[in-house]
């Protein structure tokens, strides 16, 4: 791999890579490539996710996925490759790659930023590294606003909700919108899923799955069973907003300016040995 002289040779050198399974990007003066590399056994969908009884030949691994069949692309028409540990294939891919991938939001945001430019330089990539847009919020907030009913809100609750309606989804350190969204979304998850347990602990799906639930809710009446004891999605989302508002008030005070993101989601760098007094002060990233 260290001696490869082209993107193609780089990819070929990865043919014998076994572990850990990784996404590799390769480039030369005129070519770019991204390839999955590593040993992935051929398994039935869902196999290996939980401990289960092995019964017959169908419970055994059927060899490994051939290197040439692993997800890969060379010189795609879009002009770039990218990876953020998100699921690398769609539902049409013939092999099961597992289930534990990162949420799609970061990868989606990276792709959208790359699509904005035909050429990039160091300054562009520096801006991308410092990007503070919440792709999750940009997708979730329209649905959350749709199901919120402000009847009975206090004036302060109404003002905060109006502020949320105008949010541009930038998680600025001195703004309150990301704080409200973070607590509001977590409260929605709690109200929806806390009755679902894995062992003794509540089991929450990933954020993307809950977002899918919202999107499908309007067209799949059977999903309403998950809302109980709430009578409607409006009731659940509205109560989640009011409970998150109450929690922020209790924790950070009635002055909503104290709810700024830098206070709610602190950035701290503890000492490696966890010695008190030697860690950094909270860092305000804006």
């Amino acid at each position: 791999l260290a001696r490869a002289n082209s993107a193609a040779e780089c990819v070929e050198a990865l043919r014998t890579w076994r572990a850990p399974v990784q996404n590799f990007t390769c480039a030369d003066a005129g070519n770019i490539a991204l390839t999955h590399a590593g040993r992935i056994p051929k398994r039935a969908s869902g196999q290996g996710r939980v401990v289960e009884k092995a019964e017959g030949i169908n419970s055994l691994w059927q060899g490994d996925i051939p290197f040439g069949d692993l997800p890969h692309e060379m010189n795609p028409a879009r002009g770039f490759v990218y990876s953020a540990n998100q699921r690398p294939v769609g539902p049409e891919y013939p092999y099961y790659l597992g289930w534990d991938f990162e949420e799609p939001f970061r990868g989606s945001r990276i792709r959208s930023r790359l699509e904005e430019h035909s050429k990039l330089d160091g300054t562009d990539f520096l801006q991308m590294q410092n990007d503070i847009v919440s792709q999750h919020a940009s997708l979730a907030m329209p649905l959350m606003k749709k199901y919120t009913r402000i009847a009975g809100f206090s004036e302060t609750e109404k003002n905060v909700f109006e502020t949320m309606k105008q949010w541009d989804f930038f998680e600025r350190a001195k703004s309150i919108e990301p704080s409200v969204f973070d607590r509001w979304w977590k409260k929605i998850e709690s109200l929806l899923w806390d009755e679902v347990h894995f062992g003794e602990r509540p089991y929450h799906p990933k954020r993307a799955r809950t977002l899918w639930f919202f999107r499908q809710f309007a067209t799949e009446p059977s999903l309403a069973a998950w809302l109980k004891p709430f009578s409607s999605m409006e009731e659940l989302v509205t109560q989640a907003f009011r409970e998150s508002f109450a929690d922020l008030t209790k924790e950070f005070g009635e002055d909503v300016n104290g709810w700024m993101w830098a206070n709610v989601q602190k950035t701290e760098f503890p000492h490696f040995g966890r010695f008190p007094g030697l860690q950094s002060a909270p860092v305000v990233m804006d």
Side-chain angles (χ1 to χ4, degrees):
L1 183 60
R3 293 190 295 269
N5 290 309
S6 66
E9 288 184 12
C10 173
V11 172
E12 182 61 26
L14 292 165
R15 184 176 294 275
T16 56
W17 182 274
R18 305 296 282 173
V21 177
Q22 302 246 23
N23 286 325
F24 288 86
T25 55
C26 303
D28 58 35
N31 302 282
I32 54 174
L34 183 145
T35 185
H36 226 49
R39 179 176 182 247
I40 304 178
K42 292 180 182 178
R43 296 180 291 187
S45 180
Q47 189 177 20
R49 188 164 188 174
V50 297
V51 177
E52 55 188 330
K53 186 177 181 180
E55 294 181 320
I57 190 68
N58 291 332
S59 66
L60 301 177
W61 293 351
Q62 308 299 314
D64 297 333
I65 300 176
F67 178 75
D69 291 344
L70 291 174
H72 65 278
E73 55 184 355
M74 174 79 78
N75 296 327
R78 77 177 85 89
F80 60 83
V81 297
Y82 68 102
S83 172
N85 296 323
Q86 78 278 12
R87 184 179 294 277
V89 294
E92 71 284 351
Y93 185 70
Y95 299 102
Y96 176 63
L97 295 178
W99 71 95
D100 193 18
F101 294 95
E102 288 297 318
E103 300 266 28
F105 307 118
R106 182 166 167 261
S108 176
R109 178 62 179 163
I110 290 171
R111 175 167 180 158
S112 67
R113 291 300 306 273
L114 291 172
E115 287 175 336
E116 293 171 1
H117 305 274
S118 58
K119 290 184 178 181
L120 300 103
D121 59 21
T123 300
D124 295 311
F125 284 106
L126 179 62
Q127 291 175 347
M128 289 180 63
Q129 289 291 335
N130 290 319
D131 186 78
I132 57 172
V133 170
S134 170
Q135 191 79 359
H136 171 219
S138 72
L139 298 172
M141 272 302 303
L143 297 167
M144 294 160 72
K145 291 185 293 186
K146 171 184 175 182
Y147 289 113
T148 302
R149 300 294 178 262
I150 65 172
F153 276 19
S154 68
E155 283 303 310
T156 308
E157 286 174 322
K158 289 179 182 178
N159 291 337
V160 170
F161 182 67
E162 286 300 315
T163 298
M164 296 303 295
K165 288 169 63 176
Q166 304 303 318
W167 185 30
D168 60 4
F169 314 118
F170 279 75
E171 293 183 322
R172 299 180 181 90
K174 297 180 181 179
S175 63
I176 70 165
E177 293 93 333
S179 303
V180 175
F181 172 76
D182 178 69
R183 296 300 179 91
W184 188 5
W185 179 264
K186 288 177 180 176
K187 190 67 69 172
I188 287 173
E189 290 183 321
S190 178
L191 295 176
L192 268 175
W193 310 123
D194 269 5
E195 295 301 313
V196 182
H197 281 67
F198 186 79
E200 297 182 355
R201 297 177 301 166
Y203 178 77
H204 292 182
K206 290 189 174 182
R207 294 173 297 167
R209 184 57 61 92
T210 301
L211 191 57
W212 174 90
F213 177 91
F214 269 89
R215 287 173 168 170
Q216 295 296 111
F217 181 79
T219 58
E220 294 190 29
S222 63
L223 294 178
W226 287 97
L227 299 183
K228 295 178 180 179
F230 299 97
S231 61
S232 65
M233 181 66 82
E234 289 83 356
E235 183 183 359
L236 185 150
V237 173
T238 302
Q239 179 167 321
F241 176 86
R242 303 199 75 176
E243 288 188 13
S244 61
F245 181 95
D247 289 348
L248 286 165
T249 300
K250 181 178 180 180
E251 190 172 351
F252 298 98
E254 294 184 0
D255 182 357
V256 298
N257 292 316
W259 301 2
M260 66 180 188
W261 190 228
N263 291 339
V264 176
Q265 183 67 29
K266 294 182 179 179
T267 300
E268 298 177 307
F269 298 94
H271 185 270
F272 182 76
R274 305 291 177 178
F275 293 117
L278 297 180
Q279 75 276 11
S280 74
V283 178
V284 177
M285 307 291 289
D286 204 351

